[in-house]
Structures are given as structure tokens and as C-alpha cells.
Coordinates of all heavy atoms in Angstrom, one line a residue:
T1422 N -15.9 11.4 10.4 CA -15.8 10.0 9.9 C -14.6 9.4 10.5 O -13.6 10.0 10.7 CB -15.6 10.0 8.4 OG1 -16.6 10.8 7.8 CG2 -15.8 8.6 7.8
D1423 N -14.7 8.1 10.8 CA -13.5 7.4 11.3 C -12.4 7.2 10.3 O -12.8 6.9 9.1 CB -13.9 6.0 11.9 CG -14.8 6.1 13.1 OD1 -14.6 7.1 13.9 OD2 -15.6 5.2 13.4
V1424 N -11.2 7.3 10.7 CA -10.1 7.1 9.8 C -9.6 5.7 10.0 O -9.3 5.3 11.1 CB -9.0 8.1 10.0 CG1 -7.7 7.8 9.2 CG2 -9.5 9.5 9.8
P1425 N -9.5 4.9 8.9 CA -9.0 3.5 9.1 C -7.5 3.6 9.6 O -6.8 4.5 9.3 CB -9.0 2.9 7.7 CG -9.4 4.0 6.8 CD -9.8 5.2 7.5
P1426 N -7.1 2.6 10.5 CA -5.8 2.6 11.0 C -4.8 2.1 9.9 O -5.2 1.6 8.8 CB -5.8 1.5 12.1 CG -6.9 0.6 11.7 CD -8.0 1.5 11.0
F1427 N -3.5 2.3 10.1 CA -2.5 1.8 9.2 C -2.6 0.3 9.2 O -2.9 -0.3 10.2 CB -1.1 2.2 9.6 CG -0.7 3.6 9.2 CD1 -1.1 4.7 10.0 CD2 -0.1 3.8 8.0 CE1 -0.7 6.0 9.6 CE2 0.2 5.1 7.6 CZ -0.1 6.2 8.4
D1428 N -2.3 -0.3 8.1 CA -2.4 -1.8 8.0 C -1.1 -2.3 8.5 O 0.0 -2.0 8.1 CB -2.5 -2.2 6.5 CG -2.9 -3.6 6.4 OD1 -2.0 -4.5 6.6 OD2 -4.0 -4.0 6.0
E1429 N -1.2 -3.3 9.5 CA 0.0 -3.8 10.2 C 0.9 -4.7 9.4 O 2.0 -5.1 9.8 CB -0.4 -4.4 11.5 CG -1.0 -3.4 12.5 CD -1.4 -4.1 13.8 OE1 -1.1 -5.3 14.0 OE2 -1.9 -3.3 14.6
R1430 N 0.4 -5.2 8.2 CA 1.3 -6.1 7.4 C 2.5 -5.3 6.8 O 3.4 -6.0 6.4 CB 0.5 -6.8 6.4 CG 0.1 -6.0 5.2 CD -0.9 -6.8 4.3 NE -2.2 -6.4 4.6 CZ -3.3 -7.0 4.2 NH1 -3.3 -8.1 3.5 NH2 -4.5 -6.5 4.6
F1431 N 2.4 -4.0 6.8 CA 3.5 -3.2 6.2 C 4.5 -2.9 7.3 O 4.3 -2.0 8.1 CB 3.0 -2.0 5.5 CG 2.1 -2.3 4.3 CD1 0.8 -2.3 4.4 CD2 2.7 -2.7 3.1 CE1 0.0 -2.6 3.3 CE2 1.9 -3.1 2.0 CZ 0.5 -3.0 2.1
T1432 N 5.6 -3.6 7.3 CA 6.7 -3.3 8.3 C 7.9 -3.0 7.5 O 8.1 -3.4 6.4 CB 6.9 -4.5 9.2 OG1 7.2 -5.7 8.4 CG2 5.6 -4.8 10.0
G1433 N 8.9 -2.4 8.2 CA 10.1 -2.1 7.5 C 9.9 -0.9 6.6 O 9.3 0.0 6.9
Y1434 N 10.5 -1.1 5.4 CA 10.5 0.1 4.4 C 9.4 -0.1 3.4 O 9.3 -1.2 2.7 CB 11.8 0.2 3.7 CG 11.9 1.3 2.8 CD1 12.2 2.6 3.3 CD2 11.7 1.1 1.4 CE1 12.3 3.7 2.4 CE2 11.8 2.2 0.6 CZ 12.1 3.5 1.0 OH 12.2 4.5 0.2
G1435 N 8.5 0.9 3.2 CA 7.6 0.9 2.1 C 6.2 0.4 2.3 O 6.0 -0.6 3.1
G1436 N 5.2 1.0 1.7 CA 3.9 0.5 1.7 C 3.0 1.1 2.7 O 1.7 1.1 2.5
D1437 N 3.5 1.6 3.8 CA 2.6 2.0 4.9 C 1.8 3.3 4.5 O 0.6 3.3 4.7 CB 3.4 2.3 6.2 CG 4.6 3.2 6.0 OD1 5.1 3.4 4.9 OD2 5.1 3.8 7.0
K1438 N 2.4 4.3 4.1 CA 1.7 5.5 3.7 C 0.9 5.3 2.5 O -0.3 5.8 2.4 CB 2.7 6.7 3.6 CG 3.3 7.1 4.9 CD 4.3 8.2 4.8 CE 5.6 7.8 4.1 NZ 6.4 6.8 4.8
T1439 N 1.4 4.6 1.5 CA 0.6 4.3 0.3 C -0.6 3.6 0.6 O -1.7 3.9 0.1 CB 1.5 3.6 -0.7 OG1 2.7 4.3 -0.9 CG2 0.8 3.4 -2.1
S1440 N -0.5 2.5 1.4 CA -1.7 1.7 1.7 C -2.7 2.5 2.5 O -3.9 2.4 2.3 CB -1.3 0.4 2.5 OG -0.7 0.8 3.7
H1441 N -2.2 3.4 3.4 CA -3.2 4.2 4.2 C -3.9 5.2 3.3 O -5.2 5.3 3.4 CB -2.4 4.9 5.3 CG -3.3 5.5 6.3 ND1 -3.3 6.8 6.6 CD2 -4.2 4.9 7.1 CE1 -4.2 7.0 7.6 NE2 -4.7 5.8 7.9
A1442 N -3.2 5.8 2.3 CA -3.9 6.7 1.4 C -4.9 6.0 0.5 O -6.0 6.4 0.3 CB -2.9 7.4 0.5
Y1443 N -4.5 4.8 0.1 CA -5.4 4.0 -0.7 C -6.7 3.6 0.0 O -7.8 3.8 -0.5 CB -4.7 2.7 -1.2 CG -5.5 1.8 -2.1 CD1 -5.5 2.0 -3.5 CD2 -6.3 0.8 -1.6 CE1 -6.3 1.3 -4.3 CE2 -7.1 0.0 -2.5 CZ -7.1 0.2 -3.8 OH -7.8 -0.5 -4.7
E1444 N -6.5 3.2 1.3 CA -7.7 2.8 2.1 C -8.6 4.0 2.4 O -9.8 4.0 2.4 CB -7.3 2.1 3.3 CG -8.5 1.6 4.1 CD -8.3 0.4 4.9 OE1 -7.2 -0.1 5.1 OE2 -9.3 -0.2 5.4
L1445 N -7.9 5.2 2.7 CA -8.7 6.4 2.9 C -9.6 6.7 1.6 O -10.7 7.0 1.8 CB -7.8 7.6 3.2 CG -7.2 7.6 4.6 CD1 -6.1 8.7 4.7 CD2 -8.2 7.8 5.6
S1446 N -9.0 6.6 0.5 CA -9.7 6.9 -0.8 C -10.8 5.9 -1.0 O -12.0 6.2 -1.3 CB -8.7 6.8 -1.9 OG -9.4 7.0 -3.1
R1447 N -10.5 4.6 -0.8 CA -11.6 3.5 -1.0 C -12.7 3.7 0.0 O -13.8 3.3 -0.3 CB -10.9 2.2 -0.9 CG -10.0 1.8 -2.0 CD -10.7 1.7 -3.4 NE -11.4 0.4 -3.4 CZ -12.6 0.3 -3.7 NH1 -13.3 1.3 -4.1 NH2 -13.2 -0.9 -3.7
S1448 N -12.4 4.2 1.2 CA -13.5 4.3 2.2 C -14.3 5.6 2.1 O -15.2 5.8 2.9 CB -12.9 4.2 3.6 OG -12.0 5.3 3.9
G1449 N -14.0 6.4 1.0 CA -14.8 7.5 0.8 C -14.2 8.9 1.2 O -14.9 9.9 1.0
H1450 N -13.1 8.9 1.8 CA -12.5 10.2 2.2 C -12.1 10.9 0.9 O -11.7 10.3 -0.1 CB -11.2 9.9 3.1 CG -11.6 9.5 4.4 ND1 -12.0 8.2 4.7 CD2 -11.7 10.2 5.6 CE1 -12.3 8.1 6.0 NE2 -12.1 9.3 6.6
V1451 N -12.2 12.2 0.9 CA -11.8 13.0 -0.2 C -10.6 13.8 0.0 O -10.4 14.4 1.1 CB -13.0 14.0 -0.5 CG1 -12.6 14.9 -1.7 CG2 -14.3 13.3 -0.8
F1452 N -9.6 13.7 -0.9 CA -8.4 14.4 -0.8 C -8.5 15.8 -1.5 O -9.2 15.9 -2.6 CB -7.2 13.7 -1.5 CG -6.9 12.4 -0.8 CD1 -7.6 11.2 -1.1 CD2 -6.0 12.4 0.2 CE1 -7.3 10.0 -0.4 CE2 -5.6 11.2 0.9 CZ -6.3 10.0 0.6
M1453 N -8.0 16.8 -0.9 CA -8.1 18.1 -1.5 C -6.7 18.8 -1.6 O -5.9 18.5 -0.7 CB -9.0 19.0 -0.7 CG -10.4 18.5 -0.5 SD -11.4 19.5 0.6 CE -11.6 20.9 -0.5
V1454 N -6.5 19.5 -2.6 CA -5.3 20.3 -2.8 C -5.5 21.7 -2.3 O -6.4 22.4 -2.8 CB -4.8 20.3 -4.3 CG1 -3.5 21.2 -4.4 CG2 -4.5 18.9 -4.8
L1455 N -4.8 22.1 -1.3 CA -5.0 23.4 -0.7 C -4.0 24.4 -1.3 O -2.8 24.1 -1.4 CB -4.8 23.4 0.8 CG -5.8 22.4 1.5 CD1 -5.4 22.3 3.0 CD2 -7.2 22.8 1.4
P1456 N -4.5 25.6 -1.6 CA -3.6 26.6 -2.1 C -2.7 27.1 -0.9 O -3.1 27.1 0.2 CB -4.5 27.8 -2.6 CG -5.7 27.6 -1.8 CD -5.9 26.1 -1.5
N1457 N -1.4 27.4 -1.3 CA -0.5 27.9 -0.3 C -0.2 26.9 0.8 O 0.3 27.3 1.9 CB -1.0 29.2 0.3 CG -1.2 30.2 -0.7 OD1 -0.4 30.4 -1.7 ND2 -2.3 31.0 -0.6
A1458 N -0.4 25.6 0.6 CA 0.0 24.6 1.6 C 0.8 23.5 0.8 O 0.4 23.1 -0.3 CB -1.2 24.0 2.2
F1459 N 1.9 23.1 1.4 CA 2.7 22.0 0.8 C 3.5 21.3 1.8 O 3.6 21.7 2.9 CB 3.6 22.6 -0.3 CG 4.5 23.7 0.2 CD1 5.8 23.4 0.6 CD2 4.1 25.0 0.3 CE1 6.6 24.4 1.1 CE2 4.9 26.0 0.8 CZ 6.2 25.7 1.2
A1460 N 4.0 20.1 1.4 CA 4.9 19.3 2.2 C 6.2 19.1 1.5 O 6.2 19.1 0.2 CB 4.2 17.9 2.5
V1461 N 7.2 19.0 2.2 CA 8.6 18.8 1.7 C 9.2 17.6 2.2 O 9.1 17.4 3.5 CB 9.5 20.1 2.0 CG1 10.9 19.8 1.5 CG2 8.9 21.3 1.4
H1462 N 9.7 16.8 1.4 CA 10.5 15.6 1.9 C 11.9 15.9 1.8 O 12.5 16.2 0.7 CB 10.2 14.4 1.0 CG 10.9 13.1 1.5 ND1 12.1 12.8 1.0 CD2 10.5 12.2 2.3 CE1 12.5 11.7 1.6 NE2 11.5 11.3 2.4
A1463 N 12.6 15.9 2.9 CA 14.0 16.2 3.0 C 14.8 15.0 2.6 O 14.5 13.9 3.1 CB 14.4 16.7 4.4
H1464 N 15.7 15.1 1.7 CA 16.6 14.0 1.3 C 17.4 13.5 2.5 O 17.9 14.3 3.3 CB 17.5 14.4 0.2 CG 18.4 13.3 -0.3 ND1 17.9 12.2 -0.9 CD2 19.7 13.0 0.0 CE1 18.9 11.3 -1.1 NE2 20.0 11.8 -0.6
H1465 N 17.5 12.2 2.6 CA 18.4 11.7 3.7 C 19.0 10.4 3.2 O 18.6 9.8 2.2 CB 17.5 11.4 5.0 CG 16.3 10.5 4.7 ND1 16.4 9.2 4.6 CD2 15.0 10.9 4.5 CE1 15.2 8.7 4.4 NE2 14.3 9.7 4.3
T1466 N 20.0 9.9 3.9 CA 20.7 8.7 3.5 C 19.7 7.5 3.7 O 18.9 7.6 4.6 CB 22.0 8.5 4.2 OG1 21.7 8.5 5.6 CG2 23.0 9.6 3.9
Q1467 N 19.9 6.5 2.9 CA 19.1 5.3 3.1 C 19.4 4.6 4.4 O 20.6 4.4 4.7 CB 19.3 4.4 1.9 CG 18.4 3.2 1.9 CD 18.6 2.3 0.7 OE1 19.7 2.2 0.1 NE2 17.6 1.6 0.3
A1468 N 18.4 4.2 5.1 CA 18.6 3.4 6.3 C 19.2 2.1 6.0 O 18.9 1.5 4.9 CB 17.2 3.2 7.0
P1469 N 20.1 1.6 6.8 CA 20.8 0.3 6.5 C 19.8 -0.8 6.3 O 20.1 -1.7 5.4 CB 21.7 0.1 7.7 CG 21.8 1.4 8.5 CD 20.6 2.2 8.1
W1470 N 18.7 -0.9 7.0 CA 17.8 -2.0 6.9 C 17.0 -1.9 5.6 O 16.4 -2.9 5.1 CB 16.9 -2.1 8.1 CG 16.2 -0.8 8.4 CD1 16.7 0.1 9.4 CD2 15.1 -0.2 7.9 NE1 15.8 1.2 9.4 CE2 14.8 1.0 8.5 CE3 14.2 -0.6 6.9 CZ2 13.8 1.9 8.2 CZ3 13.1 0.2 6.6 CH2 12.9 1.5 7.2
A1471 N 16.9 -0.7 5.0 CA 16.1 -0.6 3.7 C 16.6 -1.4 2.6 O 15.9 -1.9 1.8 CB 16.0 0.9 3.4
S1472 N 17.9 -1.5 2.5 CA 18.5 -2.3 1.4 C 18.3 -3.8 1.5 O 18.3 -4.5 0.5 CB 20.0 -2.0 1.3 OG 20.7 -2.5 2.5
A1473 N 17.9 -4.2 2.7 CA 17.6 -5.6 2.9 C 16.2 -6.0 2.7 O 15.7 -7.1 2.9 CB 18.1 -6.0 4.3
Q1474 N 15.4 -5.0 2.3 CA 13.9 -5.2 2.1 C 13.7 -6.3 1.1 O 14.3 -6.3 0.1 CB 13.3 -3.9 1.7 CG 11.8 -3.9 1.4 CD 11.0 -4.1 2.6 OE1 11.4 -3.7 3.7 NE2 9.8 -4.6 2.5
N1475 N 12.8 -7.1 1.4 CA 12.4 -8.2 0.5 C 11.3 -7.6 -0.4 O 10.1 -7.5 0.0 CB 11.9 -9.4 1.2 CG 11.4 -10.5 0.3 OD1 11.1 -10.3 -0.9 ND2 11.4 -11.7 0.8
W1476 N 11.6 -7.1 -1.6 CA 10.7 -6.4 -2.4 C 9.6 -7.3 -3.0 O 8.4 -6.8 -3.2 CB 11.4 -5.6 -3.5 CG 12.2 -4.5 -2.9 CD1 13.5 -4.4 -2.8 CD2 11.7 -3.3 -2.3 NE1 13.9 -3.3 -2.2 CE2 12.8 -2.6 -1.8 CE3 10.4 -2.8 -2.1 CZ2 12.7 -1.4 -1.2 CZ3 10.3 -1.6 -1.4 CH2 11.4 -0.9 -1.0
T1477 N 9.9 -8.6 -3.2 CA 8.8 -9.5 -3.6 C 7.8 -9.6 -2.5 O 6.6 -9.6 -2.8 CB 9.4 -10.8 -4.0 OG1 10.4 -10.7 -5.0 CG2 8.4 -11.8 -4.4
R1478 N 8.3 -9.8 -1.3 CA 7.3 -9.9 -0.2 C 6.5 -8.6 0.0 O 5.3 -8.6 0.3 CB 8.1 -10.2 1.1 CG 7.3 -10.4 2.3 CD 6.6 -11.7 2.3 NE 5.2 -11.5 2.2 CZ 4.3 -12.5 1.9 NH1 4.7 -13.7 1.6 NH2 3.0 -12.2 1.8
A1479 N 7.2 -7.4 -0.2 CA 6.5 -6.1 -0.1 C 5.4 -6.1 -1.2 O 4.3 -5.6 -0.9 CB 7.4 -5.0 -0.2
W1480 N 5.7 -6.5 -2.4 CA 4.7 -6.5 -3.5 C 3.5 -7.4 -3.1 O 2.4 -7.1 -3.4 CB 5.3 -6.9 -4.8 CG 4.3 -6.9 -5.9 CD1 3.9 -8.0 -6.6 CD2 3.6 -5.8 -6.5 NE1 3.0 -7.7 -7.5 CE2 2.8 -6.4 -7.5 CE3 3.6 -4.5 -6.3 CZ2 2.0 -5.6 -8.3 CZ3 2.8 -3.7 -7.0 CH2 2.0 -4.2 -8.0
L1481 N 3.8 -8.6 -2.6 CA 2.7 -9.5 -2.2 C 1.9 -8.9 -1.1 O 0.6 -9.0 -1.1 CB 3.3 -10.8 -1.7 CG 4.0 -11.6 -2.8 CD1 4.7 -12.8 -2.2 CD2 2.9 -12.1 -3.8
D1482 N 2.5 -8.2 -0.1 CA 1.7 -7.6 0.9 C 0.8 -6.5 0.3 O -0.3 -6.4 0.7 CB 2.6 -6.9 2.0 CG 3.3 -8.0 2.9 OD1 2.9 -9.1 2.9 OD2 4.3 -7.6 3.5
W1483 N 1.3 -5.8 -0.7 CA 0.5 -4.7 -1.3 C -0.6 -5.4 -2.1 O -1.8 -4.9 -1.9 CB 1.4 -3.9 -2.3 CG 0.6 -3.0 -3.1 CD1 0.2 -3.1 -4.4 CD2 -0.1 -1.8 -2.7 NE1 -0.6 -2.1 -4.8 CE2 -0.8 -1.3 -3.8 CE3 -0.2 -1.1 -1.4 CZ2 -1.6 -0.1 -3.7 CZ3 -0.9 0.0 -1.3 CH2 -1.6 0.5 -2.4
T1484 N -0.4 -6.4 -2.9 CA -1.5 -7.0 -3.7 C -2.6 -7.6 -2.8 O -3.8 -7.4 -3.0 CB -1.0 -8.0 -4.7 OG1 -0.3 -9.1 -4.0 CG2 -0.1 -7.4 -5.7
T1485 N -2.2 -8.3 -1.7 CA -3.2 -8.8 -0.8 C -3.9 -7.7 0.0 O -5.1 -7.8 0.2 CB -2.6 -9.9 0.2 OG1 -1.6 -9.2 1.0 CG2 -2.1 -11.1 -0.5
F1486 N -3.2 -6.6 0.3 CA -3.9 -5.5 0.9 C -4.9 -4.9 0.0 O -6.0 -4.6 0.4 CB -2.8 -4.4 1.3 CG -3.5 -3.1 1.5 CD1 -4.1 -2.8 2.8 CD2 -3.5 -2.1 0.6 CE1 -4.7 -1.6 3.0 CE2 -4.1 -0.9 0.8 CZ -4.8 -0.7 2.0
V1487 N -4.6 -4.7 -1.3 CA -5.6 -4.2 -2.2 C -6.8 -5.1 -2.4 O -7.9 -4.6 -2.4 CB -4.9 -3.9 -3.6 CG1 -5.9 -3.6 -4.7 CG2 -3.9 -2.8 -3.5
E1488 N -6.5 -6.4 -2.4 CA -7.6 -7.3 -2.5 C -8.5 -7.2 -1.3 O -9.7 -7.2 -1.4 CB -7.1 -8.8 -2.7 CG -6.4 -9.0 -4.0 CD -5.6 -10.3 -4.1 OE1 -5.4 -10.9 -3.0 OE2 -5.2 -10.7 -5.2
D1489 N -7.9 -7.2 -0.1 CA -8.7 -7.0 1.1 C -9.5 -5.7 1.2 O -10.6 -5.7 1.6 CB -7.8 -7.1 2.4 CG -7.1 -8.5 2.5 OD1 -7.6 -9.5 1.9 OD2 -6.2 -8.6 3.3
A1490 N -8.8 -4.6 0.9 CA -9.5 -3.3 0.9 C -10.6 -3.3 -0.1 O -11.7 -2.7 0.2 CB -8.5 -2.2 0.6
N1491 N -10.4 -3.8 -1.3 CA -11.5 -3.8 -2.3 C -12.7 -4.6 -1.8 O -13.8 -4.4 -2.2 CB -11.0 -4.3 -3.6 CG -10.1 -3.2 -4.3 OD1 -10.1 -2.1 -3.9 ND2 -9.3 -3.7 -5.2
Q1492 N -12.5 -5.7 -1.0 CA -13.6 -6.5 -0.5 C -14.3 -5.7 0.6 O -15.5 -5.9 0.8 CB -13.1 -7.8 0.0 CG -12.7 -8.8 -1.1 CD -12.1 -10.1 -0.5 OE1 -12.1 -10.3 0.7 NE2 -11.7 -10.9 -1.4
R1493 N -13.6 -4.8 1.4 CA -14.3 -4.1 2.4 C -15.1 -3.0 1.9 O -16.1 -2.5 2.6 CB -13.2 -3.5 3.4 CG -12.6 -4.5 4.4 CD -11.8 -3.7 5.4 NE -10.6 -3.1 4.9 CZ -9.4 -3.7 4.7 NH1 -9.3 -5.0 4.9 NH2 -8.4 -3.1 4.3
Y1494 N -14.8 -2.4 0.8 CA -15.5 -1.2 0.3 C -16.2 -1.5 -1.0 O -16.0 -2.5 -1.7 CB -14.6 -0.1 0.1 CG -13.8 0.2 1.4 CD1 -12.5 -0.2 1.6 CD2 -14.5 0.8 2.5 CE1 -11.8 0.1 2.8 CE2 -13.8 1.1 3.7 CZ -12.5 0.7 3.8 OH -11.9 0.9 5.0
A1495 N -17.1 -0.6 -1.4 CA -17.9 -0.8 -2.7 C -16.9 -1.0 -3.9 O -15.8 -0.5 -3.9 CB -18.7 0.5 -2.9
P1496 N -17.4 -1.7 -4.8 CA -16.6 -2.0 -6.0 C -16.1 -0.7 -6.7 O -16.8 0.3 -6.7 CB -17.5 -2.7 -7.0 CG -18.6 -3.3 -6.1 CD -18.7 -2.3 -5.0
S1497 N -14.9 -0.8 -7.1 CA -14.2 0.4 -7.8 C -14.4 0.2 -9.3 O -14.2 -0.9 -9.8 CB -12.7 0.4 -7.4 OG -12.1 1.4 -8.2
P1498 N -14.7 1.3 -10.0 CA -14.7 1.3 -11.4 C -13.3 1.1 -12.1 O -13.2 0.7 -13.2 CB -15.3 2.6 -11.9 CG -15.0 3.5 -10.7 CD -15.0 2.7 -9.5
R1499 N -12.3 1.3 -11.3 CA -10.9 1.2 -11.8 C -10.5 -0.3 -11.7 O -10.8 -0.9 -10.7 CB -10.0 2.1 -11.0 CG -10.2 3.5 -11.3 CD -9.3 4.3 -10.5 NE -9.8 4.4 -9.1 CZ -9.2 5.0 -8.1 NH1 -8.1 5.7 -8.3 NH2 -9.8 5.1 -6.9
R1500 N -9.8 -0.8 -12.7 CA -9.3 -2.1 -12.6 C -7.8 -2.1 -12.4 O -7.1 -1.2 -12.9 CB -9.6 -2.8 -14.0 CG -11.1 -3.0 -14.3 CD -11.4 -4.4 -14.1 NE -12.8 -4.6 -14.5 CZ -13.7 -5.1 -13.7 NH1 -13.4 -5.3 -12.4 NH2 -14.9 -5.3 -14.1
P1501 N -7.2 -3.1 -11.7 CA -5.8 -3.1 -11.6 C -5.1 -3.4 -12.9 O -5.8 -4.0 -13.8 CB -5.5 -4.2 -10.6 CG -6.8 -5.1 -10.7 CD -7.9 -4.2 -11.0
P1502 N -3.9 -3.0 -13.1 CA -3.2 -3.4 -14.4 C -3.3 -4.9 -14.6 O -3.2 -5.7 -13.7 CB -1.8 -2.9 -14.2 CG -1.9 -1.9 -13.1 CD -3.0 -2.3 -12.3
K1503 N -3.4 -5.3 -15.8 CA -3.6 -6.7 -16.2 C -2.4 -7.5 -15.6 O -1.2 -7.2 -15.8 CB -3.6 -6.9 -17.7 CG -3.9 -8.3 -18.2 CD -4.0 -8.3 -19.7 CE -4.4 -9.7 -20.1 NZ -4.6 -9.8 -21.5
G1504 N -2.7 -8.6 -14.9 CA -1.7 -9.5 -14.4 C -1.2 -9.1 -13.0 O -0.5 -9.9 -12.4
C1505 N -1.5 -8.0 -12.5 CA -1.0 -7.6 -11.2 C -1.4 -8.4 -10.1 O -0.6 -8.8 -9.2 CB -1.4 -6.1 -10.9 SG -0.4 -4.9 -11.8
L1506 N -2.6 -8.8 -10.0 CA -3.1 -9.6 -8.9 C -3.2 -11.1 -9.1 O -3.3 -11.9 -8.2 CB -4.5 -9.1 -8.4 CG -4.5 -7.6 -8.0 CD1 -5.9 -7.2 -7.6 CD2 -3.6 -7.3 -6.9
T1507 N -3.1 -11.5 -10.4 CA -3.2 -12.9 -10.7 C -2.0 -13.7 -10.3 O -2.1 -14.9 -10.1 CB -3.5 -13.1 -12.2 OG1 -2.4 -12.5 -12.9 CG2 -4.8 -12.4 -12.6
R1508 N -0.8 -13.1 -10.2 CA 0.4 -13.8 -9.8 C 0.6 -13.9 -8.3 O 1.5 -14.6 -7.9 CB 1.6 -13.2 -10.5 CG 1.6 -13.3 -12.0 CD 2.9 -12.8 -12.6 NE 4.0 -13.5 -12.0 CZ 5.1 -12.9 -11.7 NH1 5.3 -11.6 -11.9 NH2 6.1 -13.6 -11.1
S1509 N -0.2 -13.2 -7.5 CA 0.1 -13.1 -6.1 C 0.1 -14.5 -5.4 O 0.9 -14.7 -4.5 CB -0.9 -12.2 -5.4 OG -2.2 -12.7 -5.5
A1510 N -0.7 -15.4 -5.8 CA -0.8 -16.7 -5.1 C 0.5 -17.5 -5.4 O 1.1 -18.1 -4.4 CB -2.0 -17.6 -5.6
S1511 N 1.0 -17.5 -6.6 CA 2.3 -18.3 -6.9 C 3.5 -17.6 -6.2 O 4.4 -18.2 -5.7 CB 2.5 -18.5 -8.4 OG 2.6 -17.2 -9.0
L1512 N 3.5 -16.3 -6.3 CA 4.6 -15.6 -5.6 C 4.6 -15.7 -4.1 O 5.6 -15.9 -3.5 CB 4.5 -14.1 -6.0 CG 5.0 -13.7 -7.4 CD1 4.7 -12.2 -7.6 CD2 6.4 -14.0 -7.6
A1513 N 3.4 -15.8 -3.5 CA 3.3 -16.0 -2.1 C 3.9 -17.3 -1.7 O 4.5 -17.5 -0.6 CB 1.8 -15.9 -1.6
A1514 N 3.6 -18.3 -2.5 CA 4.2 -19.7 -2.2 C 5.7 -19.7 -2.2 O 6.3 -20.4 -1.5 CB 3.6 -20.7 -3.1
E1515 N 6.2 -18.9 -3.2 CA 7.7 -18.8 -3.3 C 8.4 -18.0 -2.3 O 9.6 -18.1 -2.1 CB 8.0 -18.3 -4.7 CG 7.6 -19.2 -5.9 CD 7.7 -18.5 -7.2 OE1 8.3 -17.4 -7.3 OE2 7.1 -19.0 -8.2
N1516 N 7.6 -17.1 -1.7 CA 8.2 -16.1 -0.7 C 7.4 -16.0 0.5 O 6.7 -15.1 0.8 CB 8.2 -14.7 -1.4 CG 9.1 -14.7 -2.6 OD1 10.3 -14.5 -2.5 ND2 8.5 -14.8 -3.8
P1517 N 7.4 -17.1 1.4 CA 6.6 -17.1 2.6 C 7.0 -16.0 3.5 O 8.2 -15.5 3.6 CB 6.9 -18.4 3.2 CG 8.3 -18.8 2.6 CD 8.3 -18.2 1.3
K1518 N 6.0 -15.5 4.3 CA 6.2 -14.4 5.2 C 7.0 -15.0 6.4 O 6.7 -16.1 6.9 CB 4.9 -13.8 5.7 CG 5.0 -12.5 6.4 CD 3.7 -11.8 6.3 CE 4.0 -10.3 6.7 NZ 3.3 -9.4 5.9
P1519 N 8.0 -14.3 6.9 CA 8.8 -14.9 8.0 C 8.0 -15.0 9.3 O 7.1 -14.4 9.5 CB 10.0 -13.9 8.2 CG 9.7 -12.7 7.3 CD 8.5 -13.0 6.5

């Protein structure tokens, strides 16, 4: 099966791996937990550019990504938390993409 590419709207810090895993799941890929296999995240100092991240813009990118992914794939029985996607239009107007 083809693996969807990473979504290019996620730049800087955050959202790239989460959005990729979400799209893999929505497109029907199955995640498995393997015995005796694990990943480790090594602690590191925060990159200087990460503190300048516009978290409102990142949230808007996430909500529009979810809306787009949900339109590409079969409807999901899961619903987003109440109010999560309804505010995206007003927030987008207040936080235009550079």
C-alpha cells in the first residue's frame, strides 16, 4: 500500500509526525505493537526557534489538516471534541499564515 507523504503545511516545530500518523490511520494502515521492540526519545535542549512557534497557527494547521484528511477518507465513527473545529475559521482570520 502507498504511504501518504508528510503534509507540507507543518513546518517548524510540531505536528509533522502526529499528522502523518493520523493520516496513516485514516487511510487504513494498521499500527501494531511488537514485543521486544521499542523506541527511545533522548532528551535534548529546546531548539531556539521552537520557542518562537506560533501555537495558534499550529493549531489552525492541525484543525484544517484533520478536516482535509477526513474528507479524503471514509467517515470516522469518532467525533472531534466539541468546539475543536468550529472555531478554526475565526482563529484563521486572526492569525493569517505568513
Side-chain angles (χ1 to χ4, degrees):
T1422 312
D1423 289 332
V1424 175
F1427 278 89
D1428 192 291
E1429 294 182 4
R1430 75 187 96 194
F1431 296 101
T1432 59
Y1434 182 82
D1437 54 340
K1438 292 177 286 299
T1439 306
S1440 64
H1441 195 240
Y1443 184 86
E1444 185 151 9
L1445 286 169
S1446 175
R1447 292 292 286 128
S1448 65
H1450 288 78
V1451 177
F1452 293 88
M1453 300 177 75
V1454 177
L1455 301 175
N1457 303 319
F1459 57 93
V1461 176
H1462 181 269
H1464 179 72
H1465 54 82
T1466 59
Q1467 184 178 29
W1470 49 265
S1472 61
Q1474 177 73 23
N1475 179 338
W1476 292 107
T1477 302
R1478 184 73 247 165
W1480 177 249
L1481 291 171
D1482 288 343
W1483 171 255
T1484 58
T1485 57
F1486 163 78
V1487 168
E1488 291 168 347
D1489 293 346
N1491 288 343
Q1492 288 177 4
R1493 280 193 294 278
Y1494 304 104
S1497 172
R1499 293 178 280 181
R1500 298 250 185 243
K1503 187 175 181 178
C1505 281
L1506 300 180
T1507 57
R1508 294 189 53 223
S1509 61
S1511 63
L1512 286 172
E1515 296 168 12
N1516 298 276
K1518 198 158 194 140

